[in-house]
Amino acid sequence: MRVHFWTADSAGSGLYRGVLPAMSLDWIGHQPSAGPRLPEDWREQGYDVVVGCRVAKPAASQTWREMRDLGIRLVMDLDDDYFNLDFTNPVAREWADPVLRQGLIDNIALSDTVTCCSEPLAEVLRDYHDDVRVVPNGLPAQHLGHVRDYNPERLSVGWAGTSSTVAEMGVPGVVRALNRIADYGWPGGVVVRLVGIDPQTAIRSGLRGKRLGALGWVENFGHYLQAVAGFDVWVAPYRDIPFNRAKFATKFLESSVLGIPLIASDIEPYRRVIRHGENGFLIRHEHEWGRYLKQLADDPGLRQRIGMAARAEASGSILQALNRQWEAALQAPVGVTA
């Protein structure tokens, strides 16, 4: 099968919904490619399938229709809920354009299959298409081998996101808990590390203190994983809004593969994967951010137990366990032609 993943960007979405799935299909003998730009000679490439990530703009929609006319099997992929947008996210404001929204709806209808990353998102998309498949995000198995030191000299508490998702820092209790843990009298000190936003954005969010490090945007995913692998405890606050409830629990995927204990808001999708006190912590009340941060800071054994319990389950989230799911989603059912 010759398949091209026409990604929406070269950041996290493009990686998880394009580059990594393509890599996984290559391992089982298919001929995949991925990128945000179609090759100029795409008509001559002989694609059997094109996976289009949130195809909606007029020019892209015209190309989508042409692919349909050429007999290419079309799979629309979405990893966010574009029908319940969070307009605190600057990127989402673009989707307030009714032309884009209608373009997305039309292109979903034109597709043979729709894929997405979570069941709550699939429930939304089934209002627009009869064949919606859930294929979760995954990471290569090699990251399971990252060696961790659960008793470091200095404790690193981390958060990862972007300038578009920094609004999640507004979850009550998070900033206060991070500021307090940075001042905590831990033997070697505690540093709060933020990956994906710059120091000015961190300060505007209310974070402060000399033990605050903001790395800014990390474009290379390998460098990103290297940066977050330095976290000893990971916090993932999310507002309980429809847009967030349809997301994939990406922070649990990344933290569990790396063996890092995660403290997350008790919302979908995190309550689907975290068993409170066993493989992570779920926060329902604002005072609990500080409570569980302090527990994990004080107890290296607890950090190791929670991190290793999460990592033990991460083998189900490696690409080697997902490529057959992608293969099944991209192939036409027996007896059906594109």
Side-chain angles (χ1 to χ4, degrees):
M1 178 170 58
R2 189 168 181 81
V3 54
H4 182 73
F5 288 83
W6 188 10
T7 63
D9 55 45
S10 56
S13 174
L15 179 89
Y16 277 115
R17 307 306 294 178
V19 174
L20 291 177
M23 181 190 304
S24 76
L25 287 170
D26 180 65
W27 295 338
I28 54 175
H30 296 290
Q31 296 176 279
S33 55
R37 294 183 181 275
L38 287 172
E40 290 186 8
D41 64 343
W42 68 264
R43 297 170 186 83
E44 288 75 50
Q45 287 288 327
Y47 293 135
D48 300 299
V49 186
V50 170
V51 181
C53 300
R54 57 178 188 266
V55 180
K57 293 182 178 180
S61 297
Q62 182 176 346
T63 302
W64 198 243
R65 291 191 295 271
E66 184 178 353
M67 290 176 174
R68 170 85 280 176
D69 293 341
L70 290 172
I72 298 172
R73 182 170 172 78
L74 301 181
V75 177
M76 179 70 76
D77 183 78
L78 291 99
D79 65 347
D80 275 320
D81 184 354
Y82 288 88
F83 300 99
N84 291 286
L85 290 165
D86 168 25
F87 290 106
T88 64
N89 183 334
V91 177
R93 293 171 195 156
E94 177 184 6
W95 289 88
D97 183 346
V99 173
L100 279 187
R101 181 185 173 90
Q102 191 59 50
L104 181 63
I105 292 171
D106 292 343
N107 292 335
I108 288 174
L110 194 65
S111 304
D112 295 285
T113 300
V114 175
T115 54
C116 65
C117 57
S118 74
E119 183 56 38
L121 180 54
E123 292 174 5
V124 174
L125 297 176
R126 288 184 182 117
D127 287 339
Y128 301 91
H129 203 284
D130 292 334
D131 184 14
V132 179
R133 319 279 187 90
V134 178
V135 185
N137 294 341
L139 285 170
Q142 69 197 57
H143 299 295
L144 287 170
H146 179 85
V147 178
R148 299 212 59 79
D149 178 5
Y150 286 100
N151 197 14
E153 292 184 7
R154 172 179 286 188
L155 192 75
S156 174
V157 174
W159 174 89
T162 68
S163 58
S164 297
T165 61
V166 73
E168 309 306 337
M169 282 292 191
V171 170
V174 175
V175 168
R176 182 173 69 248
L178 290 174
N179 285 335
R180 285 182 175 179
I181 201 71
D183 293 332
Y184 186 50
W186 204 73
V190 178
V191 61
V192 173
R193 299 190 186 279
L194 309 171
V195 175
I197 60 173
D198 57 35
Q200 292 75 25
T201 302
I203 291 170
R204 286 196 297 271
S205 298
L207 293 161
R208 57 173 172 73
K210 296 180 180 179
R211 295 184 183 276
L212 173 66
L215 185 58
W217 174 246
V218 182
E219 184 172 355
N220 181 281
F221 187 70
H223 295 162
Y224 165 80
L225 278 184
Q226 186 177 18
V228 298
F231 296 169
D232 297 301
V233 179
W234 195 322
V235 296
Y238 287 97
R239 291 162 297 151
D240 192 5
I241 57 176
F243 184 78
N244 284 343
R245 290 196 291 269
K247 280 181 171 292
F248 183 79
T250 301
K251 297 301 181 286
F252 183 74
L253 167 65
E254 294 169 352
S255 63
S256 65
V257 167
L258 295 169
I260 303 169
L262 182 73
I263 307 173
S265 295
D266 184 13
I267 70 163
E268 290 280 1
Y270 286 88
R271 68 168 62 109
R272 286 184 177 235
V273 293
I274 293 178
R275 297 185 306 279
H276 182 73
E278 294 183 30
N279 63 352
F281 291 102
L282 292 169
I283 303 302
R284 295 181 179 179
H285 307 289
E286 60 181 275
H287 71 274
E288 292 176 334
W289 291 102
R291 173 185 173 185
Y292 291 115
L293 271 176
K294 187 175 183 301
Q295 281 190 19
L296 287 166
D298 287 340
D299 191 343
L302 180 62
R303 293 197 299 273
Q304 182 168 9
R305 178 172 65 79
I306 296 291
M308 293 304 291
R311 178 174 257 183
E313 299 174 14
S315 59
S317 298
I318 61 172
L319 290 183
Q320 290 86 341
L322 298 175
N323 48 23
R324 295 296 179 186
Q325 292 186 45
W326 274 111
E327 181 182 57
L330 303 187
Q331 291 178 335
V334 176
V336 177
T337 55

